[in-house]
Amino acid sequence: MPQTTTAATTGTWTEEEIRQQPASWIRSLNNIDNLRASIDSFLTPLLRKDDLRIVLTGAGTSAFIGDIVSPWLASYTGKNFTAVPTTDLVTNPMDYFSPAHPLLLISFARSGNSPESVAAVELANQFVPECYHLSITCNEAGSLYQNAVDSDNALALLMPAETHDRGFAMTSSITTMMASCLAVFAPETINSHAFRDVADRCQAILTALGDFSHGVFGNEAWKRVVYLGSGGLQGAARESALKVLELTAGKLAAFYDSPTGFRHGPKSLVDSETLVVVFISSHPYTRQYDLDLLAELRRDRQALRVVAITAENDPVIEAGPHILLPPSRPFIDMELAFCFLMYAQVFALTQSISVGNTPDTPSASGTVNRVVQGVVIHPWQA
């Protein structure tokens, strides 16, 4: 167990890794600033290719990075960004890898040793004649990083050493890789200077949550939690739900969806033991849909609690439980995702302790592991 004042409350790596995030982001973005010449030398020729496909990939939480950042990156850059998990790439490479278009595969990984992460790179090289790789990882000794360093068609970006999370669940690793990828492709908007506002806001959130002993969303005895978000915030909702499942070892059931999609069947799961958390978009158009669903859920009176998290108040939000986090300047959804994830991570940690788990090793049966095991990678046969 770590002996540090930042983890004094639970004595876990997980808490320390949640608390260290704002500082780790700035450290990583400073490093990217220093590597800008090398990054641009690698990327600029690729981004000039009109038919370049950019696929963001990873397994589990690492895959959700692509879900969160790819919608904004595609809109911001005008480039063809898509997110596909390595777990899909290895089973169905013929559906995702096209030899007709050059490919930049961006691989995210905490350890870089997951079998699917390594296999996805190999399959991409096998399928696509003009294939390039950007590996963003937290482990210098991992296969993903080492293979990229030794490759002529790859660039490897290593995150600060402390983000190679020692706890079971990915916390500082996902958010630092998120920030770093954004800084690589949108340096004018996401850089060590501009992103300090986000880091400071998230540090204020963590400070306000104190010793993490109080309920983030309340203290009711819920058995289900639902996270809802639109666009890239749906990716943040998905990651938030996974954190609850991982750290409670499934003792608290967790789900995610978009506010508009939730009406089409999934809303059936809401009952008197359900917590619903709605990530409210900052975009005035999208926000309307989020508020409509928020009001509907409260009118239904089926859920035990419906909580809105938002950077901007509204009468609909004020009508029920909510968390208001007005930033120092208007934040886009991509920036708000970092703020929302702070609450979700702390909630998952407190729920893990509440159900009697050890957050750093929540799977008592050992059937789920920090680095996935038991995966057989079958060689591709056309």
Side-chain angles (χ1 to χ4, degrees):
M1 294 293 181
Q3 301 298 315
T4 164
T5 56
T6 61
T9 306
T10 63
T12 64
W13 293 123
T14 304
E15 181 179 345
E16 181 174 5
E17 288 152 4
I18 290 172
R19 292 190 183 276
Q20 75 189 11
Q21 290 174 98
S24 295
W25 302 338
I26 300 303
R27 189 173 298 115
S28 182
L29 296 189
N30 280 329
N31 184 52
I32 287 175
D33 288 345
N34 294 334
L35 294 172
R36 178 55 57 188
S38 298
I39 293 170
D40 289 347
S41 176
F42 176 75
L43 284 180
T44 300
L46 305 185
L47 296 177
R48 290 196 185 111
K49 300 175 185 290
D50 293 334
D51 57 346
L52 178 71
R53 294 184 64 230
I54 305 173
V55 174
L56 298 91
T57 194
T61 287
S62 294
F64 305 158
I65 298 173
D67 291 338
I68 298 169
V69 306
S70 62
W72 184 80
L73 282 175
S75 174
Y76 181 85
T77 65
K79 301 298 180 182
N80 183 9
F81 282 88
T82 57
V84 184
T86 57
T87 46
D88 291 343
L89 293 178
V90 297
T91 59
N92 291 70
M94 62 286 185
D95 294 336
Y96 298 107
F97 292 134
S98 170
H101 301 281
L103 171 68
L104 173 61
L105 187 69
I106 305 175
S107 298
F108 300 103
R110 172 172 59 176
S111 72
N113 288 321
S114 295
E116 299 99 332
S117 296
V118 177
V121 171
E122 295 173 350
L123 284 165
N125 287 330
Q126 197 172 343
F127 270 78
V128 184
E130 190 177 356
C131 186
Y132 307 91
H133 299 275
L134 174 60
S135 295
I136 301 178
T137 180
C138 305
N139 181 19
E140 187 173 13
S143 297
L144 195 67
Y145 181 81
Q146 291 297 324
N147 292 347
V149 168
D150 294 335
S151 175
D152 294 334
N153 65 338
L155 175 68
L157 291 180
L158 184 65
M159 303 297 98
E162 72 272 12
T163 66
H164 186 206
D165 296 329
R166 291 159 289 191
F168 175 83
M170 291 175 61
T171 52
S172 71
S173 51
I174 173 182
T175 55
T176 305
M177 288 190 284
M178 278 171 55
S180 299
C181 181
L182 292 167
V184 166
F185 290 98
E188 305 86 0
T189 301
I190 309 293
N191 54 62
S192 59
H193 174 71
F195 202 72
R196 194 169 293 276
D197 288 341
V198 179
D200 289 346
R201 179 68 254 186
C202 289
Q203 183 58 62
I205 290 169
L206 294 172
T207 300
L209 289 171
D211 62 4
F212 296 175
S213 64
H214 302 290
V216 176
F217 303 128
N219 293 299
E220 288 89 343
W222 33 64
K223 294 185 178 179
R224 301 176 182 180
V225 58
V226 179
Y227 283 99
L228 302 173
S230 300
L233 293 179
Q234 183 178 176
R238 186 177 189 183
E239 164 59 12
S240 300
L242 178 63
K243 281 295 152 285
V244 171
L245 285 174
E246 288 180 321
L247 290 181
T248 67
K251 294 174 185 175
L252 180 57
F255 308 85
Y256 79 96
D257 210 325
S258 68
T260 50
F262 195 56
R263 289 188 181 93
H264 292 262
K267 198 173 77 159
S268 303
L269 65 86
V270 176
D271 62 15
S272 61
E273 296 178 308
T274 303
L275 164 69
V276 182
V277 180
V278 186
F279 294 155
I280 305 293
S281 173
S282 64
H283 194 285
Y285 180 78
T286 306
R287 182 181 177 85
Q288 298 173 99
Y289 291 97
D290 296 343
L291 294 179
D292 288 348
L293 193 276
L294 177 67
E296 179 180 316
L297 289 170
R298 288 173 172 168
R299 286 196 306 270
D300 289 343
R301 298 185 180 275
Q302 294 298 304
L304 181 58
R305 177 174 282 244
V306 180
V307 180
I309 308 184
T310 180
E312 183 181 348
N313 217 342
D314 184 275
V316 174
I317 292 167
E318 290 181 331
H322 63 278
I323 296 172
L324 180 63
L325 44 115
S328 55
R329 59 169 173 79
F331 280 3
I332 59 174
D333 284 359
M334 189 63 266
E335 295 170 317
L336 283 177
F338 290 87
C339 302
F340 295 164
L341 286 173
M342 296 302 98
Y343 289 103
Q345 290 175 357
V346 175
F347 175 76
L349 172 64
T350 59
Q351 294 305 298
S352 179
I353 295 168
S354 177
V355 301
N357 284 0
T358 303
D360 290 344
T361 54
S363 179
S365 66
T367 55
V368 183
N369 303 282
R370 180 176 172 275
V371 179
V372 71
Q373 299 176 15
V375 179
V376 176
I377 301 297
H378 300 280
W380 168 253
Q381 295 178 344

